[in-house]
Amino acid sequence: MDKKEIVLSGIRATGNLHLGNYYGALSKFVKMQQDYDCLYFIADLHALTTNPDPAQLHENVKNILAEYLAAGVDPEQATIFVQSDVPEVSEMYLLLNMHVGIGELMRTTSFKDKARKQLGISTAADSDEEIEKQIIGTNSNKRVNAGLLTYPTLMAVDILIQKATKVPVGKDQEQHLELTRRFARRFNSFYGVDLFPEPENFNFGDHAVKVPGLDGSGKMGKSEGNCIYLVDDEKTIRKKVMKAVTDQGPTEPNQPVSEPVENLFTLMELTSAPEIVTHYRDAYADCSIRYGDLKKQLAEDILKVTLPIRERYQEIRADDEYLARVTRMGAEKARERAAATLAEVKQAMGIRKFY
């Protein structure tokens, strides 16, 4: 029997999951778990870079865990775990940092963007040199924490410690995945070992799904305030969809569809039957479309997707014993592999016991 390829993915513990997470990742996690050796984790250590409220962090982890399960991720088929339940990750994070340059971390796009945010700089107009000066030489009480700088190292460790070969990432994380490959090559070369495989981006065998937000542009995101959460109630979803941005309506037959309306069609293509999408696209083309009707239909179709998940979520979220059992089982499986890899890393680096 062929050994299954190892797939790893994590979601930061920073709030509830939304339709973008579902169509971009969760629904595909469910399909993949039979054909691949899948590890899905809740990244609570990554969430610490923003210094979250401790009580809220724990609740966020619990919420996302319950959402994974409610969406159909099966702990009997996939390994579901909390990042901090695998202490080997933190130890290897320290060891790998010895082979990572400050300069290459400071040059990452995500670090510069997040550093601007932590320093309260709202625009990207400042040069990289100016940003570096502010990070290193600021006399104010604003600071950029070191965890933010070494975020790519921690992400690399998440992947390498499990020897994952496929990692589904979005565009904003592609640079981090490239750094992971670089760190793997560097470690293997420096110590003359063939320890780490170089992971590749995995788009589930089809084109990447970009789920648009309700505000007329961009993608759906937790921090954008333009999303539909998987656990939103019926009234909230209807209200959000009815308030979605549109335009003044088509003024001539077959005119190009504006971005806000195209976003609604994209959501409809994800959630509605093909004939419904065709009906409303044709109505736009012949100028007979009524946005109120489109939105009511879209809300109905979204509810068919989210309400069953919400119902399962509420049951799972209330079952502390089940959640504890799932995380304990996941931690044991994840730690077994992580401990084996960490032992190899320490052996290669010369960290060996005398007893």
Side-chain angles (χ1 to χ4, degrees), residues 40-148:
Y40 305 131
F41 68 98
I42 297 103
D44 56 341
L45 298 179
H46 282 293
L48 294 175
T49 59
T50 55
N51 303 122
D53 171 77
Q56 189 58 54
L57 175 64
H58 181 72
E59 290 303 302
N60 286 345
V61 171
K62 197 173 178 182
N63 291 343
I64 292 175
L65 173 63
E67 286 166 341
Y68 269 152
L69 297 165
V73 178
D74 183 353
E76 298 294 335
Q77 291 186 309
T79 301
I80 308 170
F81 65 100
V82 179
Q83 188 183 25
S84 61
D85 281 347
V86 184
E88 291 82 2
V89 166
S90 298
E91 188 172 351
M92 190 170 140
Y93 173 42
L94 180 142
L95 297 175
L96 189 61
N97 263 328
M98 305 305 169
H99 290 279
V100 175
I102 291 173
E104 63 190 338
L105 293 176
M106 288 189 74
R107 285 192 294 272
T108 60
T109 304
S110 64
F111 172 68
K112 286 182 283 193
D113 289 345
K114 287 172 181 173
R116 284 186 178 98
K117 200 170 282 187
Q118 288 201 357
L119 290 168
I121 303 168
S122 59
T123 175
D126 296 85
S127 68
D128 291 346
E129 193 178 332
E130 277 301 310
I131 293 297
E132 287 176 22
K133 277 182 189 172
Q134 290 200 50
I135 290 168
I136 296 166
T138 181
N139 292 319
S140 75
N141 60 359
K142 291 179 182 175
R143 61 181 171 81
V144 176
N145 67 60
L148 198 62

Side-chain angles (χ1 to χ4, degrees), residues 70-296:
V73 178
D74 183 353
E76 298 294 335
Q77 291 186 309
T79 301
I80 308 170
F81 65 100
V82 179
Q83 188 183 25
S84 61
D85 281 347
V86 184
E88 291 82 2
V89 166
S90 298
E91 188 172 351
M92 190 170 140
Y93 173 42
L94 180 142
L95 297 175
L96 189 61
N97 263 328
M98 305 305 169
H99 290 279
V100 175
I102 291 173
E104 63 190 338
L105 293 176
M106 288 189 74
R107 285 192 294 272
T108 60
T109 304
S110 64
F111 172 68
K112 286 182 283 193
D113 289 345
K114 287 172 181 173
R116 284 186 178 98
K117 200 170 282 187
Q118 288 201 357
L119 290 168
I121 303 168
S122 59
T123 175
D126 296 85
S127 68
D128 291 346
E129 193 178 332
E130 277 301 310
I131 293 297
E132 287 176 22
K133 277 182 189 172
Q134 290 200 50
I135 290 168
I136 296 166
T138 181
N139 292 319
S140 75
N141 60 359
K142 291 179 182 175
R143 61 181 171 81
V144 176
N145 67 60
L148 198 62
L149 179 66
T150 57
Y151 186 105
T153 311
L154 183 55
M155 179 173 159
V157 170
D158 290 326
I159 298 163
L160 299 177
I161 205 165
Q162 301 293 344
K163 296 190 177 178
T165 53
K166 293 188 181 295
V167 184
V169 296
K171 272 205 162 313
D172 57 335
Q173 295 287 325
E174 282 178 350
Q175 190 178 25
H176 289 169
L177 190 59
E178 182 53 48
L179 283 173
T180 299
R181 287 193 284 268
R182 185 192 300 174
F183 299 160
R185 285 194 299 271
R186 184 179 294 162
F187 189 95
N188 288 346
S189 173
F190 188 88
Y191 291 107
V193 294
D194 186 21
L195 205 160
F196 297 125
E198 290 186 37
E200 61 183 36
N201 197 352
F202 187 36
N203 64 2
F204 311 99
D206 55 23
H207 68 283
V209 174
K210 182 184 176 184
V211 180
L214 300 173
D215 58 353
S217 64
K219 69 174 185 176
M220 192 171 285
K222 285 186 268 191
S223 59
E224 306 303 322
N226 63 1
C227 62
I228 290 172
Y229 292 108
L230 298 179
V231 297
D232 277 342
D233 61 33
E234 187 174 342
K235 184 179 177 184
T236 300
I237 287 177
R238 289 187 195 281
K239 189 175 177 182
K240 283 182 177 181
V241 174
M242 293 311 290
K243 286 173 69 177
V245 174
T246 53
D247 59 18
Q248 74 277 15
T251 54
E252 56 185 69
N254 301 310
Q255 75 177 53
V257 181
S258 66
E259 185 178 6
V261 178
E262 187 59 48
N263 284 351
L264 295 184
F265 282 145
T266 299
L267 286 170
M268 197 166 247
E269 282 164 358
L270 290 168
T271 58
S272 308
E275 60 270 20
I276 291 174
V277 181
T278 301
H279 168 77
Y280 283 101
R281 282 200 178 274
D282 289 347
Y284 189 94
D286 66 17
C287 302
S288 65
I289 194 165
R290 294 163 60 96
Y291 289 141
D293 292 343
L294 179 148
K295 289 178 178 181
K296 284 175 187 171

Side-chain angles (χ1 to χ4, degrees), residues 321-338:
E321 191 178 318
Y322 176 61
L323 292 173
R325 191 163 70 247
V326 167
T327 51
R328 189 162 50 242
M329 182 168 68
E332 284 172 7
K333 289 198 277 186
R335 285 199 71 181
E336 186 178 348
R337 301 181 205 233

Side-chain angles (χ1 to χ4, degrees), residues 91 95 341-353:
E91 188 172 351
L95 297 175
T341 303
L342 180 61
E344 290 180 285
V345 167
K346 291 167 85 170
Q347 177 70 19
M349 294 180 76
I351 301 171
R352 300 161 195 170
K353 296 189 186 303

